[in-house]
C-alpha cells in the first residue's frame, strides 16, 4: 500500500482510524461477511468460518475489490460467490475444486479432533447476544476453544458486529441479523483471508515457515486477538497475486525466499506452486546455480532430473531450460552469440511448385 495512507506516527492505515472512530460513534462498520474453508480431509475442504469486513476499506485497497463490490451479484463461476444460509457449499467441496490442494493454511484432520456429527451451538449472552464477532465461528464445536476471545474483544475491528439479534441457522453458523452482504470465498483458506484483512486494516502481516524448512508441529491456528495472525507465505503470495496487491505479494515473496536454502531447494523447485508462478521459479533457479556444489544439491539433483525425465513435473522442461540458460550465461557468456551475430534459422523448405525442379531451381 502507498506510504501516504499510513499515519506517520503510528504506522496504522488512515482508513483504520476512520473506521474505529465510526465504531466509537456506535456505527456498524462491518457490512460484508466472508466465509472461507478452514479444514481439509482426504478428499474435501470443510468447516467454513466467518470474517467480517468493511466494503469501503476493501474497495480502497484493491481494484479487485472495487470491481467485486460494484456488482449487484457475483457471477457463480467466480472464486467468490454470494450465498444464502441454505447453500450446499457450507457442507464443503471436493478438494480438486478448491484449486490448491496443498494449501498449508488448511488444517488437516490429523491436526484436530473433529466429531463425525457436529452439533450446532449458541454462545449465550445478554442484550441480544451482542458478543458474536463472527470472526472465528465454526460448524465444529471442538474448534470453539481458543476462539472465545474473538467474541469478547471488540477492539478487533475485523470481526466486530455491534447490532442485531442472533439466530441459529443451518450448519451451526451464527448470523447477525443486521443486513450486509454474505460472500463465500471458494478457493482461499480462512487463515489466509484473516491475514489479508489484518494487513489491510493494520498494515502488518506475518508468515509461518515453509513446511519444507523443518517440522512445524500441529497446524492448529490461534484465534487469540493478543497475537498477530500468521499464514503460509505461499498461500498469501497466491492470493495477493490474484488480488493484485503488490506490496503484500512482495512481502510474501521475500518470506518464501528467506525460507529456502540448499536443504529444501530441490523440494521447493519440484512443487506445483513453483510451477504456477514464473517469478518464484526464476528465483529458485538462481539459487540453484548458487548452491550447485553443496552436498544436498549434488546428491538430490540427479533424482530431480530423473523425475523430470519421467514427466512427473508439469514444469520440468522449464527447470531444465532455465538452468541450462544460467549455466551458459555464467560460464560461456563470451561465446554466446550476440543479436547481430546470431546464426539465422535456415529457411523453410520450398513448397512443391510445378514451375520448379525438386532442387528448388526454376525451370527455364
Amino acid at each position: 500500500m502507498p506510504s501516504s495512507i499510513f499515519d506517520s506516527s503510528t504506522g496504522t492505515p488512515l482508513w483504520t482510524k476512520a473506521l474505529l472512530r465510526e465504531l466509537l460513534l456506535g456505527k456498524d462498520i462491518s457490512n460484508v461477511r466472508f466465509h472461507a474453508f478452514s479444514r481439509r480431509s482426504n478428499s474435501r475442504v470443510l468447516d467454513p468460518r466467518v470474517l467480517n469486513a468493511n466494503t469501503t476499506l476493501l474497495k480502497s485497497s484493491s481494484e479487485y475489490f472495487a470491481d467485486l463490490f460494484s456488482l449487484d451479484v457475483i457471477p457463480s463461476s467466480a472464486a467468490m460467490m454470494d450465498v444464502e444460509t441454505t447453500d450446499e457449499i457450507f457442507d464443503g467441496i471436493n478438494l480438486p475444486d478448491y484449486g490448491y490442494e496443498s494449501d498449508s493454511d488448511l488444517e488437516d484432520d490429523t491436526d484436530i479432533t473433529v466429531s463425525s456429527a457436529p452439533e450446532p451451538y449458541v454462545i449465550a449472552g445478554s442484550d441480544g447476544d451482542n458478543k458474536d464477532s463472527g470472526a472465528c465461528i465454526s460448524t465444529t464445536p471442538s474448534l470453539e476453544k481458543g476462539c472465545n476471545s474473538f467474541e469478547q474483544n471488540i477492539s478487533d475491528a475485523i470481526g466486530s458486529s455491534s447490532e442485531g439479534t442472533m439466530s441459529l441457522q443451518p450448519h451451526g453458523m451464527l448470523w447477525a441479523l443486521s443486513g450486509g452482504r454474505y460472500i463465500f470465498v471458494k478457493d482461499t483458506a480462512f487463515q489466509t483471508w484473516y491475514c489479508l484483512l489484518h494487513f489491510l486494516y493494520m498494515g502488518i502481516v506475518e508468515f509461518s515457515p515453509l513446511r519444507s524448512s523443518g517440522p512445524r508441529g500441529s497446524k492448529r491456528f490461534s484465534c487469540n486477538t493478543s497475537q498477530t495472525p500468521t499464514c503460509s507465505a505461499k498461500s498469501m503470495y497466491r492470493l495477493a497475486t490474484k488480488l493484485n496487491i503488490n506490496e503484500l505479494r512482495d512481502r510474501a515473496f521475500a518470506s518464501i525466499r528467506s525460507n529456502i536454502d540448499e536443504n529444501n531447494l530441490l523440494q521447493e523447485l519440484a512443487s506445483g506452486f513453483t510451477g504456477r508462478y514464473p517469478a518464484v521459479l526464476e528465483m529458485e533457479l538462481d539459487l540453484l546455480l548458487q548452491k550447485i556444489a553443496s552436498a544436498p544439491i549434488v546428491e538430490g539433483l540427479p533424482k530431480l532430473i530423473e523425475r523430470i525425465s519421467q514427466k512427473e513435473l508439469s514444469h520440468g522442461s522449464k527447470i531444465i531450460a532455465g538452468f541450462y540458460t544460467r549455466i551458459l550465461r555464467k560460464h560461456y557468456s563470451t561465446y554466446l552469440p550476440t543479436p547481430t551475430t546470431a546464426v539465422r534459422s535456415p529457411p523453410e523448405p520450398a513448397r512443391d511448385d510445378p514451375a520448379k525442379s525438386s532442387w528448388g531451381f526454376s525451370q527455364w
Side-chain angles (χ1 to χ4, degrees):
M1 292 184 288
S3 58
S4 58
I5 67 171
F6 290 93
D7 185 307
S8 58
S9 61
T10 64
T12 304
L14 296 178
W15 52 48
T16 299
K17 287 193 168 187
L19 288 175
L20 289 175
R21 293 188 186 102
E22 290 188 28
L23 184 64
L24 290 173
L25 294 173
K27 297 181 180 180
D28 189 354
I29 64 173
S30 299
N31 54 9
V32 59
R33 281 194 166 190
F34 292 103
H35 306 265
F37 293 114
S38 63
R39 181 168 63 88
R40 170 180 47 220
S41 70
N42 290 333
S43 59
R44 293 174 67 79
V45 285
L46 307 159
D47 281 0
R49 300 182 192 173
V50 185
L51 284 161
N52 291 348
N54 179 272
T55 56
T56 300
L57 180 149
L58 295 177
K59 288 189 289 186
S60 300
S61 66
S62 166
E63 290 184 7
Y64 182 96
F65 284 122
D67 293 339
L68 180 72
F69 292 113
S70 67
L71 302 173
D72 292 332
V73 178
I74 301 173
S76 59
S77 60
M80 302 182 195
M81 60 182 288
D82 290 301
V83 290
E84 302 289 343
T85 59
T86 55
D87 286 346
E88 293 182 358
I89 194 170
F90 285 100
D91 293 326
I93 60 176
N94 293 328
L95 193 54
D97 296 334
Y98 179 73
Y100 186 27
E101 298 181 29
S102 60
D103 193 342
S104 298
D105 281 346
L106 289 172
E107 295 175 334
D108 290 311
D109 277 347
T110 55
D111 292 317
I112 56 179
T113 302
V114 180
S115 60
S116 58
E119 296 293 334
Y121 63 92
V122 179
I123 300 171
S126 60
D127 299 330
D129 285 348
N130 287 339
K131 290 183 180 181
D132 173 45
S133 72
C136 198
I137 305 296
S138 170
T139 62
T140 307
S142 63
L143 297 176
E144 181 179 356
K145 293 181 179 180
C147 296
N148 290 338
S149 57
F150 255 114
E151 292 121 22
Q152 299 169 358
N153 193 337
I154 200 169
S155 65
D156 188 292
I158 297 175
S160 177
S161 180
S162 60
E163 298 180 4
T165 58
M166 303 312 302
S167 173
L168 184 63
Q169 297 291 343
H171 311 285
M173 302 298 292
L174 291 176
W175 299 81
L177 303 182
S178 57
R181 195 166 184 176
Y182 302 87
I183 297 177
F184 209 110
V185 184
K186 297 186 288 186
D187 66 346
T188 303
F190 166 85
Q191 192 67 19
T192 316
W193 204 260
Y194 177 26
C195 289
L196 167 70
L197 295 182
H198 188 276
F199 173 76
L200 296 179
Y201 273 79
M202 305 301 296
I204 299 172
V205 63
E206 291 187 6
F207 301 109
S208 52
L210 296 178
R211 284 189 294 181
S212 63
S213 63
R216 285 179 54 192
S218 172
K219 288 187 294 182
R220 176 72 181 273
F221 295 106
S222 172
C223 295
N224 188 342
T225 54
S226 66
Q227 300 174 353
T228 300
T230 62
C231 70
S232 161
K234 288 184 178 181
S235 299
M236 185 57 77
Y237 183 88
R238 172 176 174 263
L239 178 58
T241 298
K242 181 178 73 173
L243 302 184
N244 198 29
I245 304 178
N246 294 337
E247 180 181 351
L248 186 55
R249 179 203 62 202
D250 294 344
R251 291 195 192 187
F253 182 90
S255 178
I256 294 170
R257 172 61 186 87
S258 67
N259 275 268
I260 300 177
D261 58 21
E262 63 272 17
N263 296 304
N264 65 340
L265 173 58
L266 295 180
Q267 182 178 344
E268 290 298 327
L269 195 57
S271 70
F273 175 85
T274 295
R276 292 188 186 101
Y277 298 102
V280 177
L281 176 60
E282 293 298 310
M283 175 268 290
E284 292 177 2
L285 287 173
D286 289 340
L287 188 57
L288 178 62
L289 188 64
Q290 297 174 22
K291 305 291 185 180
I292 190 64
S294 62
I297 303 299
V298 170
E299 179 182 355
L301 187 56
K303 299 176 183 177
L304 177 62
I305 295 175
E306 182 178 353
R307 291 185 62 192
I308 294 174
S309 70
Q310 297 297 323
K311 299 182 179 180
E312 295 182 19
L313 307 181
S314 60
H315 59 294
S317 61
K318 296 179 181 179
I319 294 176
I320 296 299
F323 188 50
Y324 172 68
T325 300
R326 282 162 173 78
I327 291 176
L328 288 179
R329 289 174 179 170
K330 181 175 181 179
H331 299 287
Y332 303 97
S333 59
T334 57
Y335 301 99
L336 292 178
T338 62
T340 55
T341 61
V343 178
R344 295 181 178 180
S345 300
E348 295 183 1
R351 297 181 179 179
D352 293 339
D353 189 331
K356 295 183 180 180
S357 69
S358 60
W359 294 98
F361 295 108
S362 297
Q363 296 184 2
W364 297 92

